[in-house]
Amino acid sequence: MPSVHTTEESSMDIQKIVLLGSGNLANHFGKYFIKNKINVTQVISRNKHTVTALSRKLKTLCDTSIEMIDRKADAYFLCVNDDSIKQLSVDLSGFLSSDKLLIHCSGSRSLEEIDDYFENRAVIWPLQSFGILSKLDWIRIPFFVESSHGATNAIEEFCKKLKWKYYPVDYVRRKRIHLAAVIANNFTNFNLIVADKILHSIDIPLEVLKPILNEGIENAFLNGPEQSQTGPAKRSDQKVIQFQLKELSGIMPEFKEIYKLYSQKIQDHYNRNSNLG
Ligand SMILES: NC(=O)c1ccc[n+]([C@@H]2O[C@H](COP(=O)([O-])OP(=O)(O)OC[C@H]3O[C@@H](n4cnc5c(N)ncnc54)[C@H](OP(=O)(O)O)[C@@H]3O)[C@@H](O)[C@H]2O)c1
């Protein structure tokens, strides 16, 4: 069935943007918007140093105070820490008209985090790590979006204009996706920090792990993670497990608990019994 859009919905077109914040996401969004001919009219952020640097890169105006905010923009991207979204939106309600579109970009905060003074609220959450040095392939990034009724059309048109892969999801599903991403990505990266330290103790670069890791990830996506698990815990090889625990004592004893727990969980998962000492 074709969706019905009200006149109010269709009239909102996101052409002019104000970025709030000058951290990782604001930097990546800003550069990408400019490159795609979206007008970033201003960057507002409390940190004079980073806001000036970003506005120079974008060749746009900047300020450290929301009192100076451009009241005529179409959308305001709140690229600030999750904990600051609520208060910032309350503060903005003192300067912007209530029909303005406010967008936050957090995977773990609800749409209602934006003050209900604003009729048009949205979440655009990119499932991607935006480190300052990250190289991004924008058209492969999934964007999970949620919006108040009147803003849905504008958000979808905006994503289409940028050729983003976007998926409308509610908060319950967004939180679950975020949880899965933390486990799959952030925990894996921490394991790499540990692996790097272990290799560093014998002057071997992390690079040696690249082929096995790449192949492991490929396999997991090709055949499913269930089929792709390998290693001593999967084989329930107690000798190797005990030996590696001993090795860890000399390099990184604080990781032993996690090693034991993971080995146990993998064995439990594959229905084998074992007692780790
Ligand atoms: N980075 C990612 O990989 C990623 C991915 C998806 C979604 N996101 C979301 O994007 C948003 C921004 O994250 P980020 O990674 O860009 O964070 P970030 O690099 O830490 O930057 C945060 C920005 O928020 C400002 N800020 C912090 N506390 C504030 C406050 N109380 N009032 C006003 N401004 C404040 C910071 O200013 P100061 O420099 O003065 O502290 C900085 O400009 C978050 O909602 C996050 O969940 C991030």
Side-chain angles (χ1 to χ4, degrees), residues 13-15 38 156-164:
D13 186 17
I14 305 176
Q15 303 264 13
I38 303 233
E156 294 196 356
E157 287 306 315
F158 182 71
C159 292
K160 279 180 200 160
K161 186 153 73 180
L162 290 169
K163 300 190 170 58
W164 283 351

Side-chain angles (χ1 to χ4, degrees), residues 21-26 45-47 50 78-82 84-85 88 105-107 125-126 128-131:
S22 50
N24 288 326
L25 188 65
S45 190
R46 61 182 187 178
N47 183 324
T50 54
L78 312 188
C79 301
V80 295
N81 290 21
D82 289 359
S84 319
I85 295 168
L88 181 57
C105 308
S106 167
W125 174 52
Q128 175 67 39
S129 276
F130 292 90

Side-chain angles (χ1 to χ4, degrees), residues 185-195 252 255 258:
N185 185 43
N186 303 146
F187 289 1
T188 301
N189 192 67
F190 184 72
N191 284 338
L192 286 176
I193 294 175
V194 176
M252 233 187 147
F255 199 70
I258 298 179

Side-chain angles (χ1 to χ4, degrees), residues 220-265:
F221 284 102
L222 195 67
N223 305 317
E226 189 71 39
Q227 303 302 320
S228 306
Q229 188 71 50
T230 58
K234 167 75 191 308
R235 297 190 301 272
S236 205
D237 187 336
Q238 302 309 324
K239 253 194 193 158
V240 174
I241 291 172
Q242 293 305 329
F243 171 77
Q244 295 203 326
L245 279 168
K246 222 166 146 189
E247 285 272 292
L248 269 174
S249 302
I251 318 163
M252 233 187 147
E254 67 274 23
F255 199 70
K256 278 176 71 178
E257 277 311 303
I258 298 179
Y259 182 101
K260 274 192 217 174
L261 201 59
Y262 256 121
S263 298
Q264 190 65 59
K265 291 289 166 203

Side-chain angles (χ1 to χ4, degrees), residues 8-23:
E8 190 194 356
E9 267 183 82
S10 331
S11 67
M12 211 193 302
D13 186 17
I14 305 176
Q15 303 264 13
K16 286 186 274 174
I17 283 173
V18 169
L19 291 174
L20 292 115
S22 50

Side-chain angles (χ1 to χ4, degrees), residues 22 47-57 60 62 64:
S22 50
N47 183 324
K48 195 171 178 190
H49 177 67
T50 54
V51 78
T52 308
L54 178 55
S55 74
R56 278 198 188 130
K57 274 185 224 159
T60 191
C62 70
T64 52

